[in-house]
Amino acid sequence: MYLIIRCPQCVTFTYVDNFQRWKLCPTCGHAYEVSKAPMYLEVQDHHEAEHIVRQMEKHLHANKKKDFSAEEKEELRHHYTTALKQRQQQHPVH
Ligand SMILES: [Zn+2]
């Protein structure tokens, strides 16, 4: 699992392995504790994480927003779990 988080200093979205405790921000060089950073979503692989991070940045940019509201975060999680379930039904994992 990977966690989509945001750097508390420069607010760049990024992702970490869920066992990782510290993250060094590639954008501003700030080292921070993963558990203290705002967490947005848990995803299954890093390709997905990268894709979602880009979508999230695009979304904020398009809407001229600085952050997601609690409802938007909830929606994001819902979208992701729904998409995941559909995929598992099409390609069942044994
Ligand atoms: Zn940063």
Side-chain angles (χ1 to χ4, degrees), residues 6-14 24-32:
R6 214 173 186 193
C7 171
Q9 187 157 291
C10 70
V11 301
T12 300
F13 287 112
T14 188
L24 181 67
C25 176
T27 308
C28 72
H30 179 57
Y32 54 94

Side-chain angles (χ1 to χ4, degrees), residues 18-66:
N18 65 343
F19 294 113
Q20 200 174 324
R21 293 188 54 206
W22 291 86
K23 173 79 183 173
L24 181 67
C25 176
T27 308
C28 72
H30 179 57
Y32 54 94
E33 227 179 312
V34 170
S35 62
K36 289 189 180 140
M39 209 276 280
Y40 290 81
L41 194 66
E42 282 180 30
V43 299
Q44 294 206 313
D45 70 70
H46 71 274
H47 293 292
E48 222 151 37
E50 231 165 82
H51 175 75
I52 292 170
V53 161
R54 275 201 300 269
Q55 294 300 314
M56 286 165 78
E57 275 168 356
K58 238 190 238 172
H59 176 87
L60 288 189
H61 188 75
N63 293 286
K64 295 189 168 56
K65 282 187 172 182
K66 295 235 185 297

